[in-house]
Amino acid sequence: MNTQPEARQSPSMQPPPIGMLAELTHRCPLQCPYCSNPVELSRKREELDTGTWQRVFAEAAELGVLQVHLSGGEPALRQDLEALVASCAEHGLYSNLITAGVNISRARLEALADAGLDHVQLSVQGATAEVNDHIANLPGAFDKKLAFAAEVTDVGLPLTLNSVIHRVNLHQIPDLVELALALGARRLEIAHAQYYGWALQNRGALMPPREQVMEALDLVEAARERLKGKLVIDAVVPDYYARLPKPCMNGWGRQSLNVTPAGKVLPCHAAETIPGLEFWNVGEHALGDIWQHSPAFNAYRGTDWMPDACQGCERREIDWGGCRCQALMLTGDATQMDPVCELSPYHEEIQTLAIIDSSRDDEFTYRRFARQPA
């Protein structure tokens, strides 16, 4: 099985990345069945310490990164979160906290704002307590999220709501729009589940039928038009029902990078699913060196690695070959064209797979977090 082209040095200096996802921890109070984190999570003892993250933020700013998304897991489980936010502010990095909003007190939120936090992105699993708490597998989570959202806007921080959409909450898209308006959010992200990590194990319970997806897309477009200038609505459609692939991460190693809790630097969130790639660690290499020269980043950069059918396609520098991780999962070969593409020989197979999964009635398999030693 071919999993990667021959690793090579980039032919020229790469333009700097715009954004960096800083996965501060994999620890999380929620057990969402669509979680895109790896099946094997980093332990607390493996997490980068405060000083290392502060150095990484300094190197990110020097490299040209503009914004840092502080994520997890749940980043608020880091006791040094205020210091990390302050480090982003010190180096001129726009900081976005991606949180479940169930374990941040008003006092701590104010401390984060005082440290220089720029933005809060709150995940909601549904528009009602019944749906939200069932998906998160945490009773009382919805009420805590509502209270937290009110505190975010009261403190004066801009708020984005994010909801991963699937069969169980797809019918609530109109309610999620109204919830975003009621909470004073400036942006709502409607992102259909992507089947990586733990989500792949729950695909049969998450995959919605095609007709419901199409109806939902119409609802989103209508809401966008109606609320133009009042609420920005971003939507990510489910790949399995698409005709053309998305430019995953706007192209492999082109605009963003991802630092794991243990310090590996990845071109995309799920890149570790591809065997044979060599990921450099911030404990051994400077961030700029990793961006320019690491084998994993250069494996699928540009278009030279593409199969012949993609090389001659007019979209080769629009979708950049689509998703390498998805190509591997659905064809067994990471160098294949993304099977979402209607020209792929595997395209009909994934359409059939989606139909089969959407007809199943599986129960969620929740991620069980074992107690982690300090």
Side-chain angles (χ1 to χ4, degrees):
M1 179 177 67
N2 186 18
T3 59
Q4 66 166 12
E6 181 180 353
R8 57 190 181 277
Q9 295 293 323
S10 52
S12 59
M13 293 294 286
Q14 294 294 321
I18 296 171
M20 181 174 80
L21 180 67
E23 296 179 296
L24 303 182
T25 181
H26 278 157
R27 293 172 285 146
C28 187
L30 308 187
Q31 297 181 351
C32 302
Y34 57 76
C35 182
S36 59
N37 279 336
V39 173
E40 295 297 325
L41 300 174
S42 295
R43 313 290 286 187
K44 182 180 178 181
R45 63 176 177 270
E46 298 171 319
E47 294 173 8
L48 299 179
D49 61 23
T50 307
T52 303
W53 273 118
Q54 290 172 327
R55 173 177 61 78
V56 169
F57 294 146
E59 292 178 357
E62 183 178 359
L63 178 58
V65 169
L66 300 177
Q67 55 189 10
V68 171
H69 304 283
L70 302 169
S71 180
E74 174 48 62
L77 289 173
R78 292 277 305 216
Q79 297 303 306
D80 59 354
L81 183 57
E82 292 87 340
L84 299 183
V85 168
S87 181
C88 289
E90 176 187 354
H91 297 292
L93 297 167
Y94 184 94
S95 58
N96 173 37
L97 177 65
I98 304 174
T99 177
V102 299
N103 63 345
I104 302 179
S105 67
R106 171 65 181 249
R108 193 173 195 203
L109 181 62
E110 291 177 348
L112 290 168
D114 290 342
L117 183 65
D118 292 298
H119 185 272
V120 173
Q121 181 173 320
L122 173 64
S123 69
V124 291
Q125 286 66 44
T128 61
E130 179 183 10
V131 172
N132 183 95
D133 297 356
H134 167 58
I135 295 169
N137 201 27
L138 183 66
F142 186 69
D143 290 341
K144 291 179 180 178
K145 289 173 183 288
L146 296 187
F148 176 73
E151 290 173 344
V152 169
T153 55
D154 190 50
V155 166
L157 288 169
L159 174 68
T160 289
L161 253 57
N162 171 274
S163 189
V164 175
I165 299 299
H166 44 81
R167 186 193 310 170
V168 178
N169 63 5
L170 187 66
H171 67 286
Q172 290 197 325
I173 286 179
D175 300 315
L176 288 165
V177 171
E178 294 307 314
L179 180 64
L181 291 170
L183 294 177
R186 301 182 184 180
R187 182 181 296 270
L188 171 64
E189 295 183 358
I190 300 291
H192 282 263
Q194 303 294 302
Y195 298 105
Y196 313 118
W198 196 258
L200 186 60
Q201 301 196 21
N202 281 288
R203 189 175 62 194
L206 294 168
M207 180 72 71
R210 174 189 289 273
E211 59 272 16
Q212 291 184 16
V213 170
M214 297 305 126
E215 290 173 6
L217 293 177
D218 290 341
L219 289 172
V220 169
E221 287 306 313
R224 274 177 168 167
E225 188 64 28
R226 174 170 60 89
L227 298 170
K228 192 176 295 184
K230 189 173 183 180
L231 177 69
V232 176
I233 303 177
D234 292 329
V236 178
V237 300
D239 285 342
Y240 286 33
Y241 291 134
R243 292 177 45 251
L244 298 171
K246 297 191 296 290
C248 186
M249 307 302 293
N250 290 312
W252 181 282
R254 292 188 68 246
Q255 293 186 355
S256 62
L257 47 78
N258 187 132
V259 183
T260 73
K264 290 182 182 179
V265 186
L266 314 179
C268 81
H269 189 72
E272 285 185 282
T273 62
I274 303 177
L277 292 183
E278 180 185 346
F279 301 102
W280 288 0
N281 193 294
V282 295
E284 300 166 350
H285 298 271
L287 196 65
D289 190 34
I290 296 172
W291 175 253
Q292 295 292 345
H293 304 299
S294 69
F297 274 83
N298 286 315
Y300 301 110
R301 262 188 176 137
T303 60
D304 289 349
W305 63 270
M306 291 181 179
D308 291 342
C310 295
Q311 290 278 1
C313 178
E314 62 183 12
R315 291 182 56 86
R316 65 185 178 278
E317 293 188 6
I318 297 174
D319 59 39
W320 299 98
C323 179
R324 298 302 86 223
C325 304
Q326 189 157 261
L328 173 67
M329 285 186 293
L330 296 173
T331 74
D333 183 353
T335 66
Q336 270 280 348
M337 69 171 71
D338 189 329
V340 166
C341 180
E342 61 186 354
L343 299 178
S344 167
Y346 296 91
H347 182 70
E348 290 304 318
E349 291 184 23
I350 70 162
Q351 300 275 310
T352 302
L353 176 65
I355 293 171
I356 292 172
D357 272 0
S358 67
S359 67
R360 292 164 59 181
D361 192 23
D362 297 4
E363 295 183 359
F364 289 151
T365 300
Y366 292 108
R367 189 195 291 273
R368 304 295 180 183
F369 293 93
R371 184 176 295 276
Q372 294 193 2

